[in-house]
């Protein structure tokens, strides 16, 4: 998956926006103002995603392309090597997993405000 298809997929998720919270090259995707994914536009090899801690361990043990995210809480964040052998379907499912984790923790009022379905 390349940066353009990742960007398109992330922005297709409800109430998602993009911005540069840290510098001019780190693009973050957020739902209702909460970050669920990040990528450095100058080094698109690694894509950072939120992940359930148990699932994060499972993914890291199964895929050498998935490791704890550098400069992030490695219990809750993975970095995915986009130049590895991961399928586009797996990468999309990891993006959706990250998005769903963030949405799940949003207060009901915020979900209503942003018109995000309560799953």
């Amino acid at each position: 998956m390349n940066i353009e298809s990742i960007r398109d997929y992330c922005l297709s998720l409800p109430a998602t926006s993009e911005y540069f919270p840290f510098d001019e090259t780190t693009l973050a995707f957020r739902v209702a103002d909460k970050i669920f994914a990040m990528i450095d536009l100058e080094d698109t090899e690694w894509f950072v995603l939120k992940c359930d801690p148990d699932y994060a361990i499972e993914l890291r043990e199964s895929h050498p392309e998935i490791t704890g995210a550098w400069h992030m809480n490695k219990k809750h964040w993975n970095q995915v090597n986009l130049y590895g052998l991961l399928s586009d379907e797996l990468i999309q499912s990891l993006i959706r997993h990250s998005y769903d984790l963030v949405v799940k923790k949003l207060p009901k009022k915020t979900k209503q405000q942003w018109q995000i379905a309560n799953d």
Side-chain angles (χ1 to χ4, degrees):
M1 225 171 157
N2 62 38
I3 182 61
E4 291 85 11
S5 56
I6 285 173
R7 181 177 178 267
D8 290 344
Y9 184 74
C10 287
L11 292 175
S12 74
L13 300 171
T16 296
S17 60
E18 61 185 346
Y19 76 127
F20 294 88
F22 308 113
D23 54 39
E24 294 143 9
T25 64
T26 305
L27 176 62
F29 297 95
R30 60 187 177 179
V31 56
D33 293 329
K34 300 290 184 184
I35 295 174
F36 69 92
M38 292 180 287
I39 192 164
D40 187 330
L41 298 179
E42 290 182 346
D43 181 10
T44 58
E45 181 177 2
W46 296 99
F47 185 49
V48 177
L49 296 164
K50 194 164 188 76
C51 192
D52 171 79
D54 293 331
Y55 187 40
I57 292 168
E58 179 185 324
L59 288 166
R60 293 172 197 170
E61 290 174 350
S62 306
H63 304 283
E65 298 91 349
I66 300 174
T67 61
W70 191 61
H71 281 309
M72 302 294 287
N73 180 336
K74 289 163 184 46
K75 181 176 180 181
H76 298 281
W77 291 89
N78 278 340
Q79 62 185 19
V80 177
N81 186 327
L82 297 175
Y83 300 160
L85 300 176
L86 299 176
S87 69
D88 289 355
E89 292 78 20
L90 177 58
I91 294 171
Q92 285 182 346
S93 78
L94 296 174
I95 293 169
R96 187 60 195 226
H97 173 74
S98 180
Y99 173 89
D100 289 344
L101 279 176
V102 172
V103 167
K104 182 179 176 181
K105 293 196 175 209
L106 293 173
K108 184 177 182 179
K109 184 176 181 178
T110 302
K111 290 177 189 178
Q112 290 171 340
Q113 176 186 351
W114 287 86
Q115 299 177 351
I116 302 169
N118 284 331
D119 294 312

